[in-house]
Amino acid sequence: MFKKILIANRGEVALRVLRACKDLGISTVAVHSTVDAEAMHVRLADESVCIGPAPAAKSYLNPQAILSAATITGAEAIHPGFGFLSENASFAQMVADHGLCFIGPSAHHIAMMGDKITAKRTAVSLGLSPVPGSEGGIKDPATACALARSLGYPVLIKASGGGGGRGMQAISQESEMESGYNAARSEAQLSFGNPEVYIEKYLACPRHIEIQVIADQQGQVVTLGERDCSLQRRHQKVWEEAPSPVLEETVREALCQQVRSAVAALGYQGLGTLEFLYQDGRFYFIEMNTRLQVEHPITEFVTGTDLVCAQICVAAGEPLAFAQKDILLQGHAIECRINAESPIDFLPSPGTVTSYHAPGGPGIRVDSALYDGAIISPHYDSLAAKLIAYGRTRTECLSRLDRALSEYVIDGVQTLLLFHRALVQNPQIQAGNYNIRFLEEHAETLRAAVQNLKASETA
Ligand code: ADP
């Protein structure tokens, strides 16, 4: 096992990794930018190194600075968390070339899945069905039109190098194709440094279902059930639950079996998530994330595992401590992403937290790096906290979640707390009756519910 790990991240995920290291008896090195000198992950780590100024490109995204920090502190391994360099194949390769362990899969597998066209081709070769669409990149609008005609409108133009819900353009008719195609390419170039785009059928009302998997270096592959991440804003997850309110056991098992075979055939090692859209009883592969996911705690709740500890152990060459037969899904878990954003118009709300009180009690977990006086910097992602509730049944989980949301105090900045309260109290959400369009289609109702909650809070 490693003696010392450098955590190349910040915020709640840096804390999450740090806690796993403590549980495993591993020393930790935090890295931070100048604005994060007082941050919680720095305070709780055994050592810390300042790696640059506030802009992420000069600190958390600077491979040389991170590798130097690892060298001077004698860390043997680097945990990238999620975001930042976690899916950067050349960083993973640099870490390996420096004789250190990158806690994640090989650079080869990261590169393969980081390019969505290659990922879809690979998925096909492994027997998974992707969303119908182009086989490779689309060269020009005329080719896009020809393909869209055969698929039927609407279609989605997606960036091959895309991520984070960005770089997608929905096209509902042929007259929109030329401008949509050009806009998608320039956005792809600007955001991901790669203009290549491809086309998929735009599914009308799917659910987003993803399967958590982990593989060790001895060839054992274990799936840990699914997460339903259909509640999204602008293709970004807001609320996730496990298990999905709609999957039958036999359907889940068939999909998990397919995923295990695919991951084993790939020779993949480490944690991974295969994402699918689920509509009319069929699963369509969309992508594989080769890292820890933001929403991993709900899987930890329903499987009774510690995914970060397991991830570190398999990276150190240890065999998985659990077999497939040990993974029994029990109870229900929901995660709310509490972003520092207005619950009305979703504009970011950076600033200083003037008062902080986290909820507790049975079945509640809070993953957050916030505290009284914490600064939410405009330089980074707006995810400020994750509130995770667990119950023996979905009903118990929802009621604990409602209770915890009403206890949670984060003053000084705006957050999505009230938005999540509106969600947990919504009858359709309570019935588990939603798909990826729900938040967009019910935006008005939810805005009114937030305004009511706001008014009753100030009354
Ligand atoms: P990213 O890597 O940017 O997160 P994904 O391919 O994982 O992109 O898709 C993110 C979300 O976008 C999905 O969960 C879904 O809501 C939506 N989406 C992606 N592809 C399609 C599609 N073909 N039809 C409908 N919605 C889609």
Side-chain angles (χ1 to χ4, degrees), residues 116 131 156 158 162-166 168 198 200-204 206 208 229 232 235-237 275 277 286-287 289 436-437:
K116 294 188 170 196
V131 182
L156 196 58
K158 296 172 82 170
R166 287 173 302 132
M168 288 183 226
Y198 63 104
E200 274 178 5
K201 173 80 189 156
Y202 193 29
L203 298 182
H208 173 117
C229 312
Q232 304 179 351
H235 310 303
Q236 282 184 293
K237 299 161 189 166
E275 299 192 333
L277 295 178
I286 46 173
E287 67 163 345
N289 290 326
I436 63 161
R437 308 250 177 277

PDB file of all heavy atoms in Angstrom, residues 116 131 156 158 162-166 168 198 200-204 206 208 229 232 235-237 275 277 286-287 289 436-437, ligand 1:
ATOM      1  N   LYS A 116     -15.039  10.699 -27.676  1.00  0.00           N
ATOM      2  CA  LYS A 116     -16.337   9.995 -27.657  1.00  0.00           C
ATOM      3  C   LYS A 116     -16.589   9.142 -28.885  1.00  0.00           C
ATOM      4  O   LYS A 116     -17.304   8.147 -28.814  1.00  0.00           O
ATOM      5  CB  LYS A 116     -17.461  11.005 -27.467  1.00  0.00           C
ATOM      6  CG  LYS A 116     -17.401  11.666 -26.108  1.00  0.00           C
ATOM      7  CD  LYS A 116     -18.625  12.495 -25.890  1.00  0.00           C
ATOM      8  CE  LYS A 116     -18.667  12.936 -24.447  1.00  0.00           C
ATOM      9  NZ  LYS A 116     -19.976  13.407 -24.066  1.00  0.00           N
ATOM     10  N   VAL A 131     -26.338   5.125 -28.971  1.00  0.00           N
ATOM     11  CA  VAL A 131     -27.461   5.841 -29.577  1.00  0.00           C
ATOM     12  C   VAL A 131     -27.210   5.825 -31.087  1.00  0.00           C
ATOM     13  O   VAL A 131     -26.085   6.083 -31.527  1.00  0.00           O
ATOM     14  CB  VAL A 131     -27.523   7.307 -29.081  1.00  0.00           C
ATOM     15  CG1 VAL A 131     -28.718   8.032 -29.684  1.00  0.00           C
ATOM     16  CG2 VAL A 131     -27.582   7.368 -27.568  1.00  0.00           C
ATOM     17  N   LEU A 156     -28.874  15.361 -32.550  1.00  0.00           N
ATOM     18  CA  LEU A 156     -28.002  16.110 -31.653  1.00  0.00           C
ATOM     19  C   LEU A 156     -26.605  16.095 -32.249  1.00  0.00           C
ATOM     20  O   LEU A 156     -26.105  15.027 -32.611  1.00  0.00           O
ATOM     21  CB  LEU A 156     -28.010  15.406 -30.284  1.00  0.00           C
ATOM     22  CG  LEU A 156     -27.500  16.125 -29.057  1.00  0.00           C
ATOM     23  CD1 LEU A 156     -28.274  17.415 -28.816  1.00  0.00           C
ATOM     24  CD2 LEU A 156     -27.616  15.222 -27.827  1.00  0.00           C
ATOM     25  N   LYS A 158     -22.828  16.501 -31.381  1.00  0.00           N
ATOM     26  CA  LYS A 158     -22.035  16.441 -30.151  1.00  0.00           C
ATOM     27  C   LYS A 158     -20.551  16.542 -30.472  1.00  0.00           C
ATOM     28  O   LYS A 158     -20.093  16.097 -31.522  1.00  0.00           O
ATOM     29  CB  LYS A 158     -22.294  15.117 -29.415  1.00  0.00           C
ATOM     30  CG  LYS A 158     -23.742  14.975 -28.939  1.00  0.00           C
ATOM     31  CD  LYS A 158     -24.042  13.587 -28.382  1.00  0.00           C
ATOM     32  CE  LYS A 158     -23.618  13.419 -26.948  1.00  0.00           C
ATOM     33  NZ  LYS A 158     -24.145  12.143 -26.365  1.00  0.00           N
ATOM     34  N   GLY A 162     -16.037  16.392 -26.109  1.00  0.00           N
ATOM     35  CA  GLY A 162     -16.914  17.094 -25.164  1.00  0.00           C
ATOM     36  C   GLY A 162     -16.960  16.495 -23.770  1.00  0.00           C
ATOM     37  O   GLY A 162     -16.457  15.403 -23.513  1.00  0.00           O
ATOM     38  N   GLY A 163     -17.580  17.243 -22.868  1.00  0.00           N
ATOM     39  CA  GLY A 163     -17.744  16.802 -21.485  1.00  0.00           C
ATOM     40  C   GLY A 163     -18.464  17.880 -20.708  1.00  0.00           C
ATOM     41  O   GLY A 163     -18.605  19.005 -21.184  1.00  0.00           O
ATOM     42  N   GLY A 164     -18.946  17.496 -19.529  1.00  0.00           N
ATOM     43  CA  GLY A 164     -19.600  18.476 -18.657  1.00  0.00           C
ATOM     44  C   GLY A 164     -20.889  19.025 -19.234  1.00  0.00           C
ATOM     45  O   GLY A 164     -21.315  20.121 -18.883  1.00  0.00           O
ATOM     46  N   GLY A 165     -21.512  18.268 -20.130  1.00  0.00           N
ATOM     47  CA  GLY A 165     -22.784  18.699 -20.699  1.00  0.00           C
ATOM     48  C   GLY A 165     -22.641  19.795 -21.746  1.00  0.00           C
ATOM     49  O   GLY A 165     -23.638  20.294 -22.257  1.00  0.00           O
ATOM     50  N   ARG A 166     -21.387  20.151 -22.074  1.00  0.00           N
ATOM     51  CA  ARG A 166     -21.202  21.233 -23.057  1.00  0.00           C
ATOM     52  C   ARG A 166     -20.906  20.652 -24.437  1.00  0.00           C
ATOM     53  O   ARG A 166     -20.565  19.494 -24.594  1.00  0.00           O
ATOM     54  CB  ARG A 166     -20.067  22.154 -22.606  1.00  0.00           C
ATOM     55  CG  ARG A 166     -20.495  23.029 -21.419  1.00  0.00           C
ATOM     56  CD  ARG A 166     -19.335  23.804 -20.862  1.00  0.00           C
ATOM     57  NE  ARG A 166     -18.286  22.888 -20.451  1.00  0.00           N
ATOM     58  CZ  ARG A 166     -17.008  23.023 -20.763  1.00  0.00           C
ATOM     59  NH1 ARG A 166     -16.609  24.038 -21.486  1.00  0.00           N
ATOM     60  NH2 ARG A 166     -16.125  22.157 -20.348  1.00  0.00           N
ATOM     61  N   MET A 168     -23.040  20.511 -27.132  1.00  0.00           N
ATOM     62  CA  MET A 168     -24.126  19.768 -27.802  1.00  0.00           C
ATOM     63  C   MET A 168     -25.102  20.757 -28.424  1.00  0.00           C
ATOM     64  O   MET A 168     -25.440  21.754 -27.805  1.00  0.00           O
ATOM     65  CB  MET A 168     -24.922  18.945 -26.794  1.00  0.00           C
ATOM     66  CG  MET A 168     -24.185  17.762 -26.263  1.00  0.00           C
ATOM     67  SD  MET A 168     -25.251  16.839 -25.151  1.00  0.00           S
ATOM     68  CE  MET A 168     -24.134  16.589 -23.808  1.00  0.00           C
ATOM     69  N   TYR A 198     -19.895  14.803 -34.019  1.00  0.00           N
ATOM     70  CA  TYR A 198     -20.619  13.650 -34.574  1.00  0.00           C
ATOM     71  C   TYR A 198     -22.102  13.845 -34.315  1.00  0.00           C
ATOM     72  O   TYR A 198     -22.511  14.788 -33.627  1.00  0.00           O
ATOM     73  CB  TYR A 198     -20.080  12.339 -33.983  1.00  0.00           C
ATOM     74  CG  TYR A 198     -20.253  12.177 -32.487  1.00  0.00           C
ATOM     75  CD1 TYR A 198     -21.226  11.340 -31.959  1.00  0.00           C
ATOM     76  CD2 TYR A 198     -19.433  12.858 -31.589  1.00  0.00           C
ATOM     77  CE1 TYR A 198     -21.386  11.181 -30.585  1.00  0.00           C
ATOM     78  CE2 TYR A 198     -19.584  12.711 -30.221  1.00  0.00           C
ATOM     79  CZ  TYR A 198     -20.558  11.874 -29.723  1.00  0.00           C
ATOM     80  OH  TYR A 198     -20.717  11.724 -28.365  1.00  0.00           O
ATOM     81  N   GLU A 200     -25.989  12.211 -33.291  1.00  0.00           N
ATOM     82  CA  GLU A 200     -26.793  11.146 -32.696  1.00  0.00           C
ATOM     83  C   GLU A 200     -28.258  11.481 -32.868  1.00  0.00           C
ATOM     84  O   GLU A 200     -28.625  12.653 -32.901  1.00  0.00           O
ATOM     85  CB  GLU A 200     -26.544  11.067 -31.176  1.00  0.00           C
ATOM     86  CG  GLU A 200     -25.367  10.224 -30.796  1.00  0.00           C
ATOM     87  CD  GLU A 200     -25.114  10.196 -29.290  1.00  0.00           C
ATOM     88  OE1 GLU A 200     -25.922  10.760 -28.520  1.00  0.00           O
ATOM     89  OE2 GLU A 200     -24.095   9.616 -28.911  1.00  0.00           O
ATOM     90  N   LYS A 201     -29.077  10.471 -32.901  1.00  0.00           N
ATOM     91  CA  LYS A 201     -30.521  10.682 -32.802  1.00  0.00           C
ATOM     92  C   LYS A 201     -30.771  11.354 -31.447  1.00  0.00           C
ATOM     93  O   LYS A 201     -30.184  10.974 -30.434  1.00  0.00           O
ATOM     94  CB  LYS A 201     -31.215   9.309 -32.859  1.00  0.00           C
ATOM     95  CG  LYS A 201     -32.687   9.337 -32.604  1.00  0.00           C
ATOM     96  CD  LYS A 201     -33.452   9.758 -33.827  1.00  0.00           C
ATOM     97  CE  LYS A 201     -34.915  10.000 -33.508  1.00  0.00           C
ATOM     98  NZ  LYS A 201     -35.556  10.912 -34.448  1.00  0.00           N
ATOM     99  N   TYR A 202     -31.599  12.395 -31.434  1.00  0.00           N
ATOM    100  CA  TYR A 202     -31.908  13.077 -30.172  1.00  0.00           C
ATOM    101  C   TYR A 202     -33.089  12.338 -29.545  1.00  0.00           C
ATOM    102  O   TYR A 202     -34.213  12.430 -30.036  1.00  0.00           O
ATOM    103  CB  TYR A 202     -32.256  14.540 -30.475  1.00  0.00           C
ATOM    104  CG  TYR A 202     -32.299  15.454 -29.282  1.00  0.00           C
ATOM    105  CD1 TYR A 202     -31.508  15.220 -28.160  1.00  0.00           C
ATOM    106  CD2 TYR A 202     -33.105  16.583 -29.278  1.00  0.00           C
ATOM    107  CE1 TYR A 202     -31.525  16.072 -27.070  1.00  0.00           C
ATOM    108  CE2 TYR A 202     -33.133  17.455 -28.195  1.00  0.00           C
ATOM    109  CZ  TYR A 202     -32.335  17.187 -27.087  1.00  0.00           C
ATOM    110  OH  TYR A 202     -32.360  18.036 -26.020  1.00  0.00           O
ATOM    111  N   LEU A 203     -32.832  11.571 -28.517  1.00  0.00           N
ATOM    112  CA  LEU A 203     -33.901  10.777 -27.903  1.00  0.00           C
ATOM    113  C   LEU A 203     -34.882  11.704 -27.184  1.00  0.00           C
ATOM    114  O   LEU A 203     -34.482  12.652 -26.516  1.00  0.00           O
ATOM    115  CB  LEU A 203     -33.321   9.741 -26.943  1.00  0.00           C
ATOM    116  CG  LEU A 203     -32.390   8.693 -27.584  1.00  0.00           C
ATOM    117  CD1 LEU A 203     -31.921   7.682 -26.544  1.00  0.00           C
ATOM    118  CD2 LEU A 203     -33.068   7.964 -28.731  1.00  0.00           C
ATOM    119  N   ALA A 204     -36.173  11.394 -27.313  1.00  0.00           N
ATOM    120  CA  ALA A 204     -37.203  12.330 -26.854  1.00  0.00           C
ATOM    121  C   ALA A 204     -37.378  12.358 -25.338  1.00  0.00           C
ATOM    122  O   ALA A 204     -37.504  13.422 -24.746  1.00  0.00           O
ATOM    123  CB  ALA A 204     -38.534  11.988 -27.516  1.00  0.00           C
ATOM    124  N   PRO A 206     -35.678  10.010 -22.664  1.00  0.00           N
ATOM    125  CA  PRO A 206     -34.986   8.918 -21.980  1.00  0.00           C
ATOM    126  C   PRO A 206     -34.706   9.234 -20.513  1.00  0.00           C
ATOM    127  O   PRO A 206     -34.825  10.384 -20.082  1.00  0.00           O
ATOM    128  CB  PRO A 206     -33.661   8.831 -22.737  1.00  0.00           C
ATOM    129  CG  PRO A 206     -33.391  10.236 -23.172  1.00  0.00           C
ATOM    130  CD  PRO A 206     -34.748  10.858 -23.425  1.00  0.00           C
ATOM    131  N   HIS A 208     -31.451   8.860 -17.783  1.00  0.00           N
ATOM    132  CA  HIS A 208     -29.997   8.656 -17.772  1.00  0.00           C
ATOM    133  C   HIS A 208     -29.710   7.620 -16.681  1.00  0.00           C
ATOM    134  O   HIS A 208     -29.952   7.869 -15.510  1.00  0.00           O
ATOM    135  CB  HIS A 208     -29.285   9.984 -17.461  1.00  0.00           C
ATOM    136  CG  HIS A 208     -27.795   9.836 -17.273  1.00  0.00           C
ATOM    137  ND1 HIS A 208     -26.872  10.434 -18.104  1.00  0.00           N
ATOM    138  CD2 HIS A 208     -27.075   9.171 -16.341  1.00  0.00           C
ATOM    139  CE1 HIS A 208     -25.648  10.137 -17.687  1.00  0.00           C
ATOM    140  NE2 HIS A 208     -25.746   9.378 -16.618  1.00  0.00           N
ATOM    141  N   CYS A 229     -29.601   9.373 -13.081  1.00  0.00           N
ATOM    142  CA  CYS A 229     -29.182  10.784 -13.035  1.00  0.00           C
ATOM    143  C   CYS A 229     -29.981  11.575 -14.064  1.00  0.00           C
ATOM    144  O   CYS A 229     -29.437  12.399 -14.810  1.00  0.00           O
ATOM    145  CB  CYS A 229     -27.698  10.916 -13.335  1.00  0.00           C
ATOM    146  SG  CYS A 229     -26.665   9.778 -12.420  1.00  0.00           S
ATOM    147  N   GLN A 232     -31.547  16.751 -14.705  1.00  0.00           N
ATOM    148  CA  GLN A 232     -30.405  17.519 -15.203  1.00  0.00           C
ATOM    149  C   GLN A 232     -30.859  18.903 -15.651  1.00  0.00           C
ATOM    150  O   GLN A 232     -31.989  19.087 -16.093  1.00  0.00           O
ATOM    151  CB  GLN A 232     -29.800  16.828 -16.432  1.00  0.00           C
ATOM    152  CG  GLN A 232     -29.394  15.394 -16.209  1.00  0.00           C
ATOM    153  CD  GLN A 232     -28.819  14.763 -17.476  1.00  0.00           C
ATOM    154  OE1 GLN A 232     -28.866  15.346 -18.562  1.00  0.00           O
ATOM    155  NE2 GLN A 232     -28.276  13.572 -17.336  1.00  0.00           N
ATOM    156  N   HIS A 235     -28.030  19.520 -19.456  1.00  0.00           N
ATOM    157  CA  HIS A 235     -27.286  18.255 -19.550  1.00  0.00           C
ATOM    158  C   HIS A 235     -26.318  18.045 -18.395  1.00  0.00           C
ATOM    159  O   HIS A 235     -25.402  17.230 -18.491  1.00  0.00           O
ATOM    160  CB  HIS A 235     -26.514  18.154 -20.881  1.00  0.00           C
ATOM    161  CG  HIS A 235     -27.347  18.447 -22.080  1.00  0.00           C
ATOM    162  ND1 HIS A 235     -28.494  17.749 -22.374  1.00  0.00           N
ATOM    163  CD2 HIS A 235     -27.215  19.372 -23.054  1.00  0.00           C
ATOM    164  CE1 HIS A 235     -29.019  18.229 -23.486  1.00  0.00           C
ATOM    165  NE2 HIS A 235     -28.278  19.226 -23.908  1.00  0.00           N
ATOM    166  N   GLN A 236     -26.502  18.779 -17.306  1.00  0.00           N
ATOM    167  CA  GLN A 236     -25.652  18.559 -16.135  1.00  0.00           C
ATOM    168  C   GLN A 236     -26.502  18.049 -14.982  1.00  0.00           C
ATOM    169  O   GLN A 236     -27.573  18.601 -14.696  1.00  0.00           O
ATOM    170  CB  GLN A 236     -24.949  19.844 -15.736  1.00  0.00           C
ATOM    171  CG  GLN A 236     -23.762  20.126 -16.637  1.00  0.00           C
ATOM    172  CD  GLN A 236     -23.014  21.351 -16.185  1.00  0.00           C
ATOM    173  OE1 GLN A 236     -23.539  22.453 -16.248  1.00  0.00           O
ATOM    174  NE2 GLN A 236     -21.810  21.157 -15.723  1.00  0.00           N
ATOM    175  N   LYS A 237     -25.974  17.037 -14.306  1.00  0.00           N
ATOM    176  CA  LYS A 237     -26.757  16.386 -13.245  1.00  0.00           C
ATOM    177  C   LYS A 237     -26.962  17.306 -12.045  1.00  0.00           C
ATOM    178  O   LYS A 237     -26.054  18.046 -11.666  1.00  0.00           O
ATOM    179  CB  LYS A 237     -26.014  15.122 -12.796  1.00  0.00           C
ATOM    180  CG  LYS A 237     -25.839  14.116 -13.911  1.00  0.00           C
ATOM    181  CD  LYS A 237     -24.745  13.111 -13.602  1.00  0.00           C
ATOM    182  CE  LYS A 237     -24.445  12.255 -14.815  1.00  0.00           C
ATOM    183  NZ  LYS A 237     -23.192  11.487 -14.680  1.00  0.00           N
ATOM    184  N   GLU A 275     -22.235   5.138 -19.008  1.00  0.00           N
ATOM    185  CA  GLU A 275     -23.484   5.893 -19.031  1.00  0.00           C
ATOM    186  C   GLU A 275     -24.355   5.459 -20.209  1.00  0.00           C
ATOM    187  O   GLU A 275     -23.859   5.276 -21.333  1.00  0.00           O
ATOM    188  CB  GLU A 275     -23.186   7.392 -19.137  1.00  0.00           C
ATOM    189  CG  GLU A 275     -22.379   7.904 -17.942  1.00  0.00           C
ATOM    190  CD  GLU A 275     -22.305   9.419 -17.868  1.00  0.00           C
ATOM    191  OE1 GLU A 275     -22.404  10.098 -18.926  1.00  0.00           O
ATOM    192  OE2 GLU A 275     -22.137   9.936 -16.761  1.00  0.00           O
ATOM    193  N   LEU A 277     -28.513   5.972 -22.048  1.00  0.00           N
ATOM    194  CA  LEU A 277     -29.850   6.548 -22.050  1.00  0.00           C
ATOM    195  C   LEU A 277     -30.802   5.359 -22.161  1.00  0.00           C
ATOM    196  O   LEU A 277     -30.532   4.400 -22.898  1.00  0.00           O
ATOM    197  CB  LEU A 277     -30.024   7.531 -23.215  1.00  0.00           C
ATOM    198  CG  LEU A 277     -29.126   8.768 -23.121  1.00  0.00           C
ATOM    199  CD1 LEU A 277     -29.319   9.674 -24.329  1.00  0.00           C
ATOM    200  CD2 LEU A 277     -29.351   9.546 -21.835  1.00  0.00           C
ATOM    201  N   ILE A 286     -23.870   5.985 -24.046  1.00  0.00           N
ATOM    202  CA  ILE A 286     -23.423   7.314 -24.493  1.00  0.00           C
ATOM    203  C   ILE A 286     -21.949   7.579 -24.211  1.00  0.00           C
ATOM    204  O   ILE A 286     -21.260   8.148 -25.026  1.00  0.00           O
ATOM    205  CB  ILE A 286     -24.297   8.497 -24.007  1.00  0.00           C
ATOM    206  CG1 ILE A 286     -24.650   8.411 -22.536  1.00  0.00           C
ATOM    207  CG2 ILE A 286     -25.519   8.687 -24.896  1.00  0.00           C
ATOM    208  CD1 ILE A 286     -25.365   9.668 -21.992  1.00  0.00           C
ATOM    209  N   GLU A 287     -21.468   7.176 -23.034  1.00  0.00           N
ATOM    210  CA  GLU A 287     -20.041   7.370 -22.788  1.00  0.00           C
ATOM    211  C   GLU A 287     -19.590   6.604 -21.566  1.00  0.00           C
ATOM    212  O   GLU A 287     -20.407   6.109 -20.790  1.00  0.00           O
ATOM    213  CB  GLU A 287     -19.699   8.862 -22.617  1.00  0.00           C
ATOM    214  CG  GLU A 287     -20.279   9.504 -21.378  1.00  0.00           C
ATOM    215  CD  GLU A 287     -19.611  10.833 -21.024  1.00  0.00           C
ATOM    216  OE1 GLU A 287     -18.535  11.150 -21.539  1.00  0.00           O
ATOM    217  OE2 GLU A 287     -20.194  11.545 -20.190  1.00  0.00           O
ATOM    218  N   ASN A 289     -17.022   7.189 -18.221  1.00  0.00           N
ATOM    219  CA  ASN A 289     -16.164   8.087 -17.452  1.00  0.00           C
ATOM    220  C   ASN A 289     -15.134   7.261 -16.701  1.00  0.00           C
ATOM    221  O   ASN A 289     -15.485   6.320 -15.985  1.00  0.00           O
ATOM    222  CB  ASN A 289     -16.995   8.922 -16.479  1.00  0.00           C
ATOM    223  CG  ASN A 289     -17.841   9.947 -17.214  1.00  0.00           C
ATOM    224  OD1 ASN A 289     -17.421  10.476 -18.245  1.00  0.00           O
ATOM    225  ND2 ASN A 289     -19.036  10.202 -16.725  1.00  0.00           N
ATOM    226  N   ILE A 436     -35.077  12.934 -18.547  1.00  0.00           N
ATOM    227  CA  ILE A 436     -34.041  13.991 -18.642  1.00  0.00           C
ATOM    228  C   ILE A 436     -34.609  15.369 -18.993  1.00  0.00           C
ATOM    229  O   ILE A 436     -33.921  16.368 -18.869  1.00  0.00           O
ATOM    230  CB  ILE A 436     -32.906  13.624 -19.626  1.00  0.00           C
ATOM    231  CG1 ILE A 436     -33.442  13.475 -21.050  1.00  0.00           C
ATOM    232  CG2 ILE A 436     -32.152  12.386 -19.189  1.00  0.00           C
ATOM    233  CD1 ILE A 436     -32.360  13.565 -22.112  1.00  0.00           C
ATOM    234  N   ARG A 437     -35.860  15.433 -19.463  1.00  0.00           N
ATOM    235  CA  ARG A 437     -36.447  16.732 -19.816  1.00  0.00           C
ATOM    236  C   ARG A 437     -37.200  17.382 -18.652  1.00  0.00           C
ATOM    237  O   ARG A 437     -37.694  18.487 -18.778  1.00  0.00           O
ATOM    238  CB  ARG A 437     -37.470  16.583 -20.940  1.00  0.00           C
ATOM    239  CG  ARG A 437     -36.981  15.874 -22.133  1.00  0.00           C
ATOM    240  CD  ARG A 437     -36.808  16.802 -23.334  1.00  0.00           C
ATOM    241  NE  ARG A 437     -36.256  16.003 -24.386  1.00  0.00           N
ATOM    242  CZ  ARG A 437     -34.971  15.728 -24.517  1.00  0.00           C
ATOM    243  NH1 ARG A 437     -34.094  16.234 -23.684  1.00  0.00           N
ATOM    244  NH2 ARG A 437     -34.544  14.957 -25.495  1.00  0.00           N
TER     245      ARG A 437
HETATM  246  P1  ADP B   1     -21.121  14.960 -21.338  1.00  0.00           P
HETATM  247  O1  ADP B   1     -19.907  14.117 -21.475  1.00  0.00           O
HETATM  248  O2  ADP B   1     -20.937  16.346 -21.814  1.00  0.00           O
HETATM  249  O3  ADP B   1     -21.736  14.854 -19.969  1.00  0.00           O
HETATM  250  P2  ADP B   1     -23.006  12.972 -22.372  1.00  0.00           P
HETATM  251  O4  ADP B   1     -22.857  12.326 -23.681  1.00  0.00           O
HETATM  252  O5  ADP B   1     -22.622  12.148 -21.160  1.00  0.00           O
HETATM  253  O6  ADP B   1     -22.193  14.349 -22.359  1.00  0.00           O
HETATM  254  O7  ADP B   1     -24.513  13.459 -22.194  1.00  0.00           O
HETATM  255  C1  ADP B   1     -24.935  14.250 -21.114  1.00  0.00           C
HETATM  256  C2  ADP B   1     -26.446  14.347 -21.122  1.00  0.00           C
HETATM  257  O8  ADP B   1     -26.902  14.944 -22.347  1.00  0.00           O
HETATM  258  C3  ADP B   1     -27.169  13.024 -21.038  1.00  0.00           C
HETATM  259  O9  ADP B   1     -27.319  12.561 -19.719  1.00  0.00           O
HETATM  260  C4  ADP B   1     -28.509  13.386 -21.653  1.00  0.00           C
HETATM  261  O10 ADP B   1     -29.322  14.093 -20.753  1.00  0.00           O
HETATM  262  C5  ADP B   1     -28.109  14.343 -22.765  1.00  0.00           C
HETATM  263  N1  ADP B   1     -27.904  13.601 -24.033  1.00  0.00           N
HETATM  264  C6  ADP B   1     -26.741  13.153 -24.529  1.00  0.00           C
HETATM  265  N2  ADP B   1     -26.929  12.491 -25.694  1.00  0.00           N
HETATM  266  C7  ADP B   1     -28.252  12.522 -25.935  1.00  0.00           C
HETATM  267  C8  ADP B   1     -29.097  12.022 -26.991  1.00  0.00           C
HETATM  268  N3  ADP B   1     -28.604  11.372 -28.034  1.00  0.00           N
HETATM  269  N4  ADP B   1     -30.437  12.261 -26.907  1.00  0.00           N
HETATM  270  C9  ADP B   1     -30.960  12.938 -25.849  1.00  0.00           C
HETATM  271  N5  ADP B   1     -30.219  13.437 -24.847  1.00  0.00           N
HETATM  272  C10 ADP B   1     -28.887  13.238 -24.877  1.00  0.00           C
END
